[in-house]
Amino acid sequence: MEVILAEHAGFCFGVQRAVDTVYEQIENRKSNGRPIYTFGSIIHNEEVVKDLRKRGVAVISSLEEAEVLPEPERGTMIIRSHGVEKCVCERLKELGYEVIDATCPFVKRIHDIVERESAAGRSIVIVGDEGHPEVEATRGWSQSPTYIIESVEEAEKFVCREGEELCIVSQTTFNYKKFQDVVEIFDKKGYNGSVVNTVCNATEVRQAEARELAARVDVMIVIGGNHSSNTRKLYEICRQECQMTYYIQTLEDLHLQLPKSVRLVGITAGASTPNNIIEEVQNYVRINF
Ligand code: F3S
């Protein structure tokens, strides 16, 4: 039997970089002795967060928590791939933390655009989900009025102030087609300003690849956390192409009984699934079937 692992299974570039940063800091602590914190969970995966906790990395959930820690305990603070508002970064430094910024460079690019364009007097439109940590962080780099547009309907209702110039950006994980639709509405309304496409295609690439793989194989295994919405989406896509699709969190959930006719098994994983879990599953299937 042949096992094929999707090329883009698991962590995207930005998440991998953020997780690597934490492990690097654990190494550095051997010489500098400073306690390590992440501002929010570095990733939505219990296994990884548990492992980091075991290695002495604590999660700080808010500025208030960072403020109440006694000064000698304020060590290295790692910013996750979603990024944070500019004022949060500055306040953490003021409090004496050494801030290590693991914001994904694609997200950082949006912060830079928003900071520059808002300083030039343009209002900012972020096409994305209100309340999403990345969107909230991006909003925090703007000095001018900032609007969040989640849908075509909201774009239709949007009214610009007289003479207002706009700069339109998007949340990195927003659906590109929906972003285009929103931009089109702004175009039709004849608003002044610029549009920067800041959608990251990591999610799209992963989904397209999973669809293509699931259509070729006899059995498909999708690995990811129970609460991971992008893993669930992957599962649904694969299930449409391949009847025998399994959704597991770790190897322990895999109770495969494969018919003799099975020749090809495909594996993919959500964006917050660590490599070691993917490898474990892959090796198990290779050895046992
Ligand atoms: Fe990942 Fe960065 Fe794109 S965190 S989804 S590579 S914007």
Side-chain angles (χ1 to χ4, degrees), residues 173-234:
T173 47
F174 205 74
N175 179 293
Y176 179 59
K177 168 82 178 61
K178 267 169 79 182
F179 174 66
Q180 274 179 318
D181 293 345
V182 167
V183 168
E184 211 170 288
I185 292 167
F186 276 87
D187 271 352
K188 273 196 203 132
K189 291 191 177 197
Y191 286 138
N192 261 337
S194 58
V195 178
V196 193
N197 169 16
T198 50
V199 172
C200 165
N201 70 354
T203 313
E204 226 174 291
V205 167
R206 190 197 321 271
Q207 290 179 356
E209 205 184 51
R211 179 175 292 114
E212 189 261 328
L213 182 57
R216 280 197 299 133
V217 298
D218 304 304
V219 171
M220 190 71 197
I221 301 170
V222 182
I223 317 165
N226 236 346
H227 302 293
S228 156
S229 61
N230 77 84
T231 311
R232 183 143 296 281
K233 182 88 190 118
L234 277 181

Side-chain angles (χ1 to χ4, degrees), residues 37-43 58-62 77-78 80:
Y37 308 96
T38 61
F39 198 77
S41 300
I42 196 77
I43 175 179
V59 177
I60 295 271
S61 306
S62 62
M77 181 70 81
I78 301 165
R80 59 187 179 173

Side-chain angles (χ1 to χ4, degrees), residues 111-131:
H111 295 175
D112 294 343
I113 293 169
V114 165
E115 194 176 25
R116 190 182 62 232
E117 295 294 308
S118 64
R122 294 189 185 94
S123 298
I124 304 295
V125 174
I126 306 171
V127 184
D129 302 320
E130 179 121 43

Side-chain angles (χ1 to χ4, degrees), residues 3 33 41 73 83 87 167 186 205 232 277 284:
V3 180
S41 300
E73 288 177 31
C87 61
C167 169
F186 276 87
V205 167
R232 183 143 296 281
I277 297 182
Y284 177 86

Side-chain angles (χ1 to χ4, degrees), residues 234-249:
L234 277 181
Y235 170 75
E236 282 159 14
I237 289 171
C238 292
R239 187 77 174 72
Q240 279 169 7
E241 304 293 334
C242 174
Q243 277 296 308
M244 270 198 278
T245 297
Y246 297 87
Y247 186 158
I248 59 169
Q249 294 203 63

Side-chain angles (χ1 to χ4, degrees), residues 12-15 81 104 106-107 172-173 200 202:
C12 63
F13 156 77
V15 168
S81 55
C104 175
F106 299 134
V107 177
T172 55
T173 47
C200 165

